[in-house]
Amino acid sequence: DIEHSVQSADPSKLPRDACVAFGIERDGAEGVVVVQEATRALLRSDDAVAVLARIAARVGDEHDLALDDVVLIAPATLPKTSSGKLRRSETRTRYLDGTLQTVAS
């Protein structure tokens, strides 16, 4: 599971159950995008670029897949239902229309 691989790339800086992976089509080609919430500790550090690299490497190693994009968003901003389930479709829509609170990409 791509989302599990992402979160295990750096557990101290990436909260559990705060990651969405989805497919997109760009220029006629299919790709995969990952949106992951950052922790406040990550925002206070200068480690975001290294964390993005670890995420891409982990997914590449475990799934033999190159990600089109990896996006870190502000804590507690990943769309969820009132019961805490991830809203993957809404996350994808917000990624595509540029309304996610991106902190690094």
Side-chain angles (χ1 to χ4, degrees), residues 67-98:
L67 297 171
D68 258 41
D69 199 3
V70 181
V71 180
L72 295 176
I73 60 173
T77 62
L78 190 65
K80 295 182 181 181
T81 66
S82 60
S83 63
K85 293 181 181 177
L86 300 172
R87 293 185 150 190
R88 288 174 172 81
S89 179
E90 182 179 341
T91 303
R92 181 181 184 279
T93 298
R94 291 179 64 193
Y95 170 81
L96 292 171
D97 67 18

PDB file of all heavy atoms in Angstrom, residues 67-98:
ATOM      1  N   LEU A  67       6.860   8.570  -8.401  1.00  0.00           N
ATOM      2  CA  LEU A  67       5.725   9.453  -8.142  1.00  0.00           C
ATOM      3  C   LEU A  67       5.784  10.684  -9.032  1.00  0.00           C
ATOM      4  O   LEU A  67       6.858  11.233  -9.275  1.00  0.00           O
ATOM      5  CB  LEU A  67       5.710   9.880  -6.674  1.00  0.00           C
ATOM      6  CG  LEU A  67       5.519   8.755  -5.664  1.00  0.00           C
ATOM      7  CD1 LEU A  67       5.745   9.273  -4.251  1.00  0.00           C
ATOM      8  CD2 LEU A  67       4.138   8.145  -5.803  1.00  0.00           C
ATOM      9  N   ASP A  68       4.636  11.125  -9.502  1.00  0.00           N
ATOM     10  CA  ASP A  68       4.552  12.374 -10.271  1.00  0.00           C
ATOM     11  C   ASP A  68       4.769  13.581  -9.370  1.00  0.00           C
ATOM     12  O   ASP A  68       5.356  14.565  -9.787  1.00  0.00           O
ATOM     13  CB  ASP A  68       3.175  12.488 -10.939  1.00  0.00           C
ATOM     14  CG  ASP A  68       3.213  12.131 -12.391  1.00  0.00           C
ATOM     15  OD1 ASP A  68       3.904  11.155 -12.730  1.00  0.00           O
ATOM     16  OD2 ASP A  68       2.568  12.837 -13.183  1.00  0.00           O
ATOM     17  N   ASP A  69       4.251  13.502  -8.149  1.00  0.00           N
ATOM     18  CA  ASP A  69       4.373  14.614  -7.220  1.00  0.00           C
ATOM     19  C   ASP A  69       4.199  14.096  -5.804  1.00  0.00           C
ATOM     20  O   ASP A  69       3.445  13.151  -5.567  1.00  0.00           O
ATOM     21  CB  ASP A  69       3.306  15.677  -7.519  1.00  0.00           C
ATOM     22  CG  ASP A  69       3.623  17.046  -6.945  1.00  0.00           C
ATOM     23  OD1 ASP A  69       4.708  17.226  -6.345  1.00  0.00           O
ATOM     24  OD2 ASP A  69       2.784  17.953  -7.110  1.00  0.00           O
ATOM     25  N   VAL A  70       4.920  14.702  -4.880  1.00  0.00           N
ATOM     26  CA  VAL A  70       4.756  14.455  -3.450  1.00  0.00           C
ATOM     27  C   VAL A  70       4.517  15.819  -2.831  1.00  0.00           C
ATOM     28  O   VAL A  70       5.314  16.735  -3.026  1.00  0.00           O
ATOM     29  CB  VAL A  70       6.001  13.801  -2.818  1.00  0.00           C
ATOM     30  CG1 VAL A  70       5.778  13.551  -1.338  1.00  0.00           C
ATOM     31  CG2 VAL A  70       6.379  12.521  -3.536  1.00  0.00           C
ATOM     32  N   VAL A  71       3.424  15.953  -2.101  1.00  0.00           N
ATOM     33  CA  VAL A  71       3.037  17.237  -1.529  1.00  0.00           C
ATOM     34  C   VAL A  71       2.886  17.088  -0.023  1.00  0.00           C
ATOM     35  O   VAL A  71       2.166  16.209   0.448  1.00  0.00           O
ATOM     36  CB  VAL A  71       1.691  17.714  -2.143  1.00  0.00           C
ATOM     37  CG1 VAL A  71       1.282  19.039  -1.544  1.00  0.00           C
ATOM     38  CG2 VAL A  71       1.789  17.797  -3.656  1.00  0.00           C
ATOM     39  N   LEU A  72       3.571  17.940   0.717  1.00  0.00           N
ATOM     40  CA  LEU A  72       3.368  18.021   2.160  1.00  0.00           C
ATOM     41  C   LEU A  72       2.424  19.187   2.418  1.00  0.00           C
ATOM     42  O   LEU A  72       2.617  20.277   1.868  1.00  0.00           O
ATOM     43  CB  LEU A  72       4.692  18.258   2.889  1.00  0.00           C
ATOM     44  CG  LEU A  72       5.721  17.134   2.806  1.00  0.00           C
ATOM     45  CD1 LEU A  72       7.012  17.556   3.506  1.00  0.00           C
ATOM     46  CD2 LEU A  72       5.183  15.852   3.414  1.00  0.00           C
ATOM     47  N   ILE A  73       1.407  18.932   3.235  1.00  0.00           N
ATOM     48  CA  ILE A  73       0.437  19.983   3.559  1.00  0.00           C
ATOM     49  C   ILE A  73       0.474  20.279   5.049  1.00  0.00           C
ATOM     50  O   ILE A  73       1.024  19.504   5.844  1.00  0.00           O
ATOM     51  CB  ILE A  73      -0.989  19.610   3.096  1.00  0.00           C
ATOM     52  CG1 ILE A  73      -1.481  18.328   3.772  1.00  0.00           C
ATOM     53  CG2 ILE A  73      -1.034  19.479   1.585  1.00  0.00           C
ATOM     54  CD1 ILE A  73      -2.939  17.992   3.478  1.00  0.00           C
ATOM     55  N   ALA A  74      -0.109  21.378   5.418  1.00  0.00           N
ATOM     56  CA  ALA A  74      -0.137  21.817   6.815  1.00  0.00           C
ATOM     57  C   ALA A  74      -0.845  20.779   7.693  1.00  0.00           C
ATOM     58  O   ALA A  74      -1.736  20.072   7.236  1.00  0.00           O
ATOM     59  CB  ALA A  74      -0.844  23.165   6.909  1.00  0.00           C
ATOM     60  N   PRO A  75      -0.445  20.702   8.965  1.00  0.00           N
ATOM     61  CA  PRO A  75      -1.085  19.770   9.882  1.00  0.00           C
ATOM     62  C   PRO A  75      -2.592  19.991   9.968  1.00  0.00           C
ATOM     63  O   PRO A  75      -3.074  21.134   9.908  1.00  0.00           O
ATOM     64  CB  PRO A  75      -0.423  20.074  11.231  1.00  0.00           C
ATOM     65  CG  PRO A  75       0.879  20.698  10.876  1.00  0.00           C
ATOM     66  CD  PRO A  75       0.630  21.464   9.613  1.00  0.00           C
ATOM     67  N   ALA A  76      -3.329  18.909  10.090  1.00  0.00           N
ATOM     68  CA  ALA A  76      -4.786  18.922  10.284  1.00  0.00           C
ATOM     69  C   ALA A  76      -5.548  19.575   9.133  1.00  0.00           C
ATOM     70  O   ALA A  76      -6.630  20.115   9.333  1.00  0.00           O
ATOM     71  CB  ALA A  76      -5.141  19.592  11.612  1.00  0.00           C
ATOM     72  N   THR A  77      -5.011  19.531   7.912  1.00  0.00           N
ATOM     73  CA  THR A  77      -5.708  20.130   6.776  1.00  0.00           C
ATOM     74  C   THR A  77      -6.114  19.106   5.716  1.00  0.00           C
ATOM     75  O   THR A  77      -6.736  19.478   4.721  1.00  0.00           O
ATOM     76  CB  THR A  77      -4.872  21.236   6.101  1.00  0.00           C
ATOM     77  OG1 THR A  77      -3.654  20.676   5.595  1.00  0.00           O
ATOM     78  CG2 THR A  77      -4.567  22.357   7.075  1.00  0.00           C
ATOM     79  N   LEU A  78      -5.784  17.836   5.914  1.00  0.00           N
ATOM     80  CA  LEU A  78      -6.194  16.806   4.967  1.00  0.00           C
ATOM     81  C   LEU A  78      -7.701  16.616   5.097  1.00  0.00           C
ATOM     82  O   LEU A  78      -8.215  16.436   6.209  1.00  0.00           O
ATOM     83  CB  LEU A  78      -5.471  15.491   5.252  1.00  0.00           C
ATOM     84  CG  LEU A  78      -5.603  14.397   4.210  1.00  0.00           C
ATOM     85  CD1 LEU A  78      -4.942  14.809   2.903  1.00  0.00           C
ATOM     86  CD2 LEU A  78      -4.980  13.109   4.703  1.00  0.00           C
ATOM     87  N   PRO A  79      -8.439  16.688   3.987  1.00  0.00           N
ATOM     88  CA  PRO A  79      -9.900  16.542   4.071  1.00  0.00           C
ATOM     89  C   PRO A  79     -10.310  15.184   4.656  1.00  0.00           C
ATOM     90  O   PRO A  79      -9.843  14.132   4.204  1.00  0.00           O
ATOM     91  CB  PRO A  79     -10.357  16.656   2.620  1.00  0.00           C
ATOM     92  CG  PRO A  79      -9.277  17.419   1.935  1.00  0.00           C
ATOM     93  CD  PRO A  79      -8.007  16.992   2.619  1.00  0.00           C
ATOM     94  N   LYS A  80     -11.152  15.239   5.686  1.00  0.00           N
ATOM     95  CA  LYS A  80     -11.663  14.028   6.344  1.00  0.00           C
ATOM     96  C   LYS A  80     -13.143  14.209   6.630  1.00  0.00           C
ATOM     97  O   LYS A  80     -13.629  15.330   6.753  1.00  0.00           O
ATOM     98  CB  LYS A  80     -10.921  13.762   7.657  1.00  0.00           C
ATOM     99  CG  LYS A  80      -9.456  13.446   7.486  1.00  0.00           C
ATOM    100  CD  LYS A  80      -8.797  13.139   8.808  1.00  0.00           C
ATOM    101  CE  LYS A  80      -7.322  12.837   8.609  1.00  0.00           C
ATOM    102  NZ  LYS A  80      -6.657  12.523   9.874  1.00  0.00           N
ATOM    103  N   THR A  81     -13.833  13.079   6.759  1.00  0.00           N
ATOM    104  CA  THR A  81     -15.238  13.120   7.154  1.00  0.00           C
ATOM    105  C   THR A  81     -15.325  13.421   8.644  1.00  0.00           C
ATOM    106  O   THR A  81     -14.314  13.403   9.352  1.00  0.00           O
ATOM    107  CB  THR A  81     -15.931  11.771   6.874  1.00  0.00           C
ATOM    108  OG1 THR A  81     -15.355  10.777   7.740  1.00  0.00           O
ATOM    109  CG2 THR A  81     -15.798  11.356   5.411  1.00  0.00           C
ATOM    110  N   SER A  82     -16.510  13.645   9.137  1.00  0.00           N
ATOM    111  CA  SER A  82     -16.688  13.912  10.565  1.00  0.00           C
ATOM    112  C   SER A  82     -16.282  12.716  11.422  1.00  0.00           C
ATOM    113  O   SER A  82     -15.942  12.876  12.588  1.00  0.00           O
ATOM    114  CB  SER A  82     -18.135  14.301  10.856  1.00  0.00           C
ATOM    115  OG  SER A  82     -19.005  13.258  10.470  1.00  0.00           O
ATOM    116  N   SER A  83     -16.280  11.521  10.838  1.00  0.00           N
ATOM    117  CA  SER A  83     -15.858  10.334  11.584  1.00  0.00           C
ATOM    118  C   SER A  83     -14.368  10.038  11.403  1.00  0.00           C
ATOM    119  O   SER A  83     -13.871   9.044  11.911  1.00  0.00           O
ATOM    120  CB  SER A  83     -16.680   9.118  11.168  1.00  0.00           C
ATOM    121  OG  SER A  83     -16.459   8.814   9.800  1.00  0.00           O
ATOM    122  N   GLY A  84     -13.647  10.898  10.674  1.00  0.00           N
ATOM    123  CA  GLY A  84     -12.201  10.761  10.549  1.00  0.00           C
ATOM    124  C   GLY A  84     -11.714   9.990   9.331  1.00  0.00           C
ATOM    125  O   GLY A  84     -10.516   9.769   9.189  1.00  0.00           O
ATOM    126  N   LYS A  85     -12.621   9.582   8.445  1.00  0.00           N
ATOM    127  CA  LYS A  85     -12.192   8.865   7.239  1.00  0.00           C
ATOM    128  C   LYS A  85     -11.636   9.863   6.226  1.00  0.00           C
ATOM    129  O   LYS A  85     -12.128  10.984   6.108  1.00  0.00           O
ATOM    130  CB  LYS A  85     -13.363   8.097   6.625  1.00  0.00           C
ATOM    131  CG  LYS A  85     -13.842   6.972   7.502  1.00  0.00           C
ATOM    132  CD  LYS A  85     -14.979   6.229   6.845  1.00  0.00           C
ATOM    133  CE  LYS A  85     -15.464   5.118   7.768  1.00  0.00           C
ATOM    134  NZ  LYS A  85     -16.612   4.432   7.197  1.00  0.00           N
ATOM    135  N   LEU A  86     -10.614   9.415   5.510  1.00  0.00           N
ATOM    136  CA  LEU A  86      -9.981  10.286   4.521  1.00  0.00           C
ATOM    137  C   LEU A  86     -10.903  10.528   3.340  1.00  0.00           C
ATOM    138  O   LEU A  86     -11.558   9.616   2.853  1.00  0.00           O
ATOM    139  CB  LEU A  86      -8.680   9.646   4.027  1.00  0.00           C
ATOM    140  CG  LEU A  86      -7.627   9.392   5.102  1.00  0.00           C
ATOM    141  CD1 LEU A  86      -6.479   8.590   4.524  1.00  0.00           C
ATOM    142  CD2 LEU A  86      -7.148  10.695   5.690  1.00  0.00           C
ATOM    143  N   ARG A  87     -10.926  11.749   2.874  1.00  0.00           N
ATOM    144  CA  ARG A  87     -11.713  12.115   1.689  1.00  0.00           C
ATOM    145  C   ARG A  87     -10.761  12.182   0.491  1.00  0.00           C
ATOM    146  O   ARG A  87     -10.284  13.249   0.121  1.00  0.00           O
ATOM    147  CB  ARG A  87     -12.412  13.444   1.911  1.00  0.00           C
ATOM    148  CG  ARG A  87     -13.464  13.371   2.977  1.00  0.00           C
ATOM    149  CD  ARG A  87     -14.197  14.665   3.070  1.00  0.00           C
ATOM    150  NE  ARG A  87     -15.551  14.339   3.509  1.00  0.00           N
ATOM    151  CZ  ARG A  87     -16.535  15.184   3.534  1.00  0.00           C
ATOM    152  NH1 ARG A  87     -16.357  16.417   3.121  1.00  0.00           N
ATOM    153  NH2 ARG A  87     -17.724  14.808   3.955  1.00  0.00           N
ATOM    154  N   ARG A  88     -10.509  11.012  -0.068  1.00  0.00           N
ATOM    155  CA  ARG A  88      -9.547  10.917  -1.166  1.00  0.00           C
ATOM    156  C   ARG A  88      -9.978  11.722  -2.389  1.00  0.00           C
ATOM    157  O   ARG A  88      -9.171  12.416  -3.005  1.00  0.00           O
ATOM    158  CB  ARG A  88      -9.313   9.450  -1.516  1.00  0.00           C
ATOM    159  CG  ARG A  88      -8.511   8.729  -0.453  1.00  0.00           C
ATOM    160  CD  ARG A  88      -8.394   7.233  -0.723  1.00  0.00           C
ATOM    161  NE  ARG A  88      -7.471   6.636   0.219  1.00  0.00           N
ATOM    162  CZ  ARG A  88      -7.787   6.293   1.458  1.00  0.00           C
ATOM    163  NH1 ARG A  88      -9.013   6.480   1.898  1.00  0.00           N
ATOM    164  NH2 ARG A  88      -6.876   5.752   2.246  1.00  0.00           N
ATOM    165  N   SER A  89     -11.226  11.617  -2.752  1.00  0.00           N
ATOM    166  CA  SER A  89     -11.719  12.322  -3.936  1.00  0.00           C
ATOM    167  C   SER A  89     -11.603  13.832  -3.759  1.00  0.00           C
ATOM    168  O   SER A  89     -11.183  14.553  -4.672  1.00  0.00           O
ATOM    169  CB  SER A  89     -13.169  11.919  -4.209  1.00  0.00           C
ATOM    170  OG  SER A  89     -13.662  12.606  -5.317  1.00  0.00           O
ATOM    171  N   GLU A  90     -11.957  14.330  -2.592  1.00  0.00           N
ATOM    172  CA  GLU A  90     -11.845  15.770  -2.328  1.00  0.00           C
ATOM    173  C   GLU A  90     -10.389  16.211  -2.322  1.00  0.00           C
ATOM    174  O   GLU A  90     -10.056  17.293  -2.822  1.00  0.00           O
ATOM    175  CB  GLU A  90     -12.507  16.131  -0.999  1.00  0.00           C
ATOM    176  CG  GLU A  90     -12.455  17.616  -0.706  1.00  0.00           C
ATOM    177  CD  GLU A  90     -13.126  18.002   0.600  1.00  0.00           C
ATOM    178  OE1 GLU A  90     -13.940  17.228   1.130  1.00  0.00           O
ATOM    179  OE2 GLU A  90     -12.819  19.113   1.075  1.00  0.00           O
ATOM    180  N   THR A  91      -9.514  15.371  -1.760  1.00  0.00           N
ATOM    181  CA  THR A  91      -8.090  15.698  -1.752  1.00  0.00           C
ATOM    182  C   THR A  91      -7.566  15.814  -3.182  1.00  0.00           C
ATOM    183  O   THR A  91      -6.849  16.753  -3.520  1.00  0.00           O
ATOM    184  CB  THR A  91      -7.287  14.633  -0.987  1.00  0.00           C
ATOM    185  OG1 THR A  91      -7.802  14.534   0.347  1.00  0.00           O
ATOM    186  CG2 THR A  91      -5.811  14.987  -0.941  1.00  0.00           C
ATOM    187  N   ARG A  92      -7.950  14.874  -4.029  1.00  0.00           N
ATOM    188  CA  ARG A  92      -7.537  14.899  -5.436  1.00  0.00           C
ATOM    189  C   ARG A  92      -8.044  16.176  -6.118  1.00  0.00           C
ATOM    190  O   ARG A  92      -7.299  16.859  -6.815  1.00  0.00           O
ATOM    191  CB  ARG A  92      -8.060  13.663  -6.166  1.00  0.00           C
ATOM    192  CG  ARG A  92      -7.653  13.590  -7.612  1.00  0.00           C
ATOM    193  CD  ARG A  92      -8.244  12.321  -8.258  1.00  0.00           C
ATOM    194  NE  ARG A  92      -7.806  12.171  -9.620  1.00  0.00           N
ATOM    195  CZ  ARG A  92      -8.335  12.806 -10.657  1.00  0.00           C
ATOM    196  NH1 ARG A  92      -9.339  13.645 -10.497  1.00  0.00           N
ATOM    197  NH2 ARG A  92      -7.852  12.616 -11.872  1.00  0.00           N
ATOM    198  N   THR A  93      -9.304  16.505  -5.892  1.00  0.00           N
ATOM    199  CA  THR A  93      -9.892  17.710  -6.485  1.00  0.00           C
ATOM    200  C   THR A  93      -9.147  18.956  -6.020  1.00  0.00           C
ATOM    201  O   THR A  93      -8.815  19.830  -6.820  1.00  0.00           O
ATOM    202  CB  THR A  93     -11.388  17.809  -6.129  1.00  0.00           C
ATOM    203  OG1 THR A  93     -12.056  16.671  -6.677  1.00  0.00           O
ATOM    204  CG2 THR A  93     -12.009  19.081  -6.661  1.00  0.00           C
ATOM    205  N   ARG A  94      -8.859  19.025  -4.730  1.00  0.00           N
ATOM    206  CA  ARG A  94      -8.162  20.199  -4.195  1.00  0.00           C
ATOM    207  C   ARG A  94      -6.725  20.271  -4.699  1.00  0.00           C
ATOM    208  O   ARG A  94      -6.186  21.361  -4.912  1.00  0.00           O
ATOM    209  CB  ARG A  94      -8.233  20.194  -2.672  1.00  0.00           C
ATOM    210  CG  ARG A  94      -9.674  20.461  -2.193  1.00  0.00           C
ATOM    211  CD  ARG A  94      -9.823  20.446  -0.704  1.00  0.00           C
ATOM    212  NE  ARG A  94      -9.048  21.525  -0.120  1.00  0.00           N
ATOM    213  CZ  ARG A  94      -8.778  21.615   1.162  1.00  0.00           C
ATOM    214  NH1 ARG A  94      -9.215  20.696   2.000  1.00  0.00           N
ATOM    215  NH2 ARG A  94      -8.069  22.612   1.625  1.00  0.00           N
ATOM    216  N   TYR A  95      -6.090  19.115  -4.904  1.00  0.00           N
ATOM    217  CA  TYR A  95      -4.752  19.109  -5.496  1.00  0.00           C
ATOM    218  C   TYR A  95      -4.809  19.690  -6.906  1.00  0.00           C
ATOM    219  O   TYR A  95      -4.019  20.556  -7.259  1.00  0.00           O
ATOM    220  CB  TYR A  95      -4.183  17.685  -5.526  1.00  0.00           C
ATOM    221  CG  TYR A  95      -2.919  17.570  -6.343  1.00  0.00           C
ATOM    222  CD1 TYR A  95      -1.690  17.935  -5.809  1.00  0.00           C
ATOM    223  CD2 TYR A  95      -2.954  17.122  -7.661  1.00  0.00           C
ATOM    224  CE1 TYR A  95      -0.536  17.863  -6.559  1.00  0.00           C
ATOM    225  CE2 TYR A  95      -1.809  17.043  -8.421  1.00  0.00           C
ATOM    226  CZ  TYR A  95      -0.597  17.406  -7.867  1.00  0.00           C
ATOM    227  OH  TYR A  95       0.540  17.334  -8.623  1.00  0.00           O
ATOM    228  N   LEU A  96      -5.758  19.197  -7.683  1.00  0.00           N
ATOM    229  CA  LEU A  96      -5.857  19.627  -9.066  1.00  0.00           C
ATOM    230  C   LEU A  96      -6.222  21.100  -9.216  1.00  0.00           C
ATOM    231  O   LEU A  96      -5.763  21.761 -10.155  1.00  0.00           O
ATOM    232  CB  LEU A  96      -6.868  18.752  -9.828  1.00  0.00           C
ATOM    233  CG  LEU A  96      -6.416  17.290 -10.025  1.00  0.00           C
ATOM    234  CD1 LEU A  96      -7.574  16.457 -10.577  1.00  0.00           C
ATOM    235  CD2 LEU A  96      -5.200  17.214 -10.930  1.00  0.00           C
ATOM    236  N   ASP A  97      -7.047  21.609  -8.291  1.00  0.00           N
ATOM    237  CA  ASP A  97      -7.408  23.026  -8.416  1.00  0.00           C
ATOM    238  C   ASP A  97      -6.493  23.960  -7.588  1.00  0.00           C
ATOM    239  O   ASP A  97      -6.701  25.167  -7.542  1.00  0.00           O
ATOM    240  CB  ASP A  97      -8.889  23.265  -8.109  1.00  0.00           C
ATOM    241  CG  ASP A  97      -9.287  23.022  -6.671  1.00  0.00           C
ATOM    242  OD1 ASP A  97      -8.420  22.979  -5.783  1.00  0.00           O
ATOM    243  OD2 ASP A  97     -10.502  22.864  -6.426  1.00  0.00           O
ATOM    244  N   GLY A  98      -5.476  23.388  -6.939  1.00  0.00           N
ATOM    245  CA  GLY A  98      -4.483  24.190  -6.248  1.00  0.00           C
ATOM    246  C   GLY A  98      -4.911  24.792  -4.937  1.00  0.00           C
ATOM    247  O   GLY A  98      -4.339  25.795  -4.506  1.00  0.00           O
TER     248      GLY A  98
END
